[in-house]
Amino acid sequence: MDILSWFFTGLLTGFLFNIVVPRRGALGFLGSMGAGALGGVGLAFIASIAGLLPEGAFSELGVALAFAGALGFNMVCASYRLVSGR
């Protein structure tokens, strides 16, 4: 159940990131939502494997890590897009 909260936190973060970022660096709604979901679930899953998150229980730390991962991965993708000129 916790992975669903990470996934939807990543989707929502990507959606909001696309609204804030200028069009030149934006990935589009689906792209930023996908990058957010990937970054959010990825970072929270790594923290879960490392033992930082409780097993089988909802945790606010997991949602915070999903938010940080989603924001970080969207920032990396947007900066790559700006640097490469695509």
Side-chain angles (χ1 to χ4, degrees):
M1 199 63 180
D2 208 20
I3 195 166
L4 289 176
S5 65
W6 304 338
F7 180 73
F8 287 112
T9 300
L11 286 178
L12 183 62
T13 303
F15 178 77
L16 294 175
F17 187 81
N18 192 49
I19 293 172
V20 174
V21 172
R23 202 170 246 326
R24 200 179 80 173
L27 303 171
F29 279 110
L30 288 178
S32 62
M33 288 172 70
L38 181 66
V41 171
L43 184 62
F45 184 71
I46 290 170
S48 177
I49 289 176
L52 299 174
L53 300 177
E55 288 281 329
F58 178 79
S59 66
E60 291 83 12
L61 179 61
V63 173
L65 284 173
F67 176 75
L71 192 62
F73 196 65
N74 267 310
M75 288 172 54
V76 166
C77 290
S79 62
Y80 172 75
R81 183 174 169 132
L82 287 174
V83 168
S84 67
R86 293 184 181 199

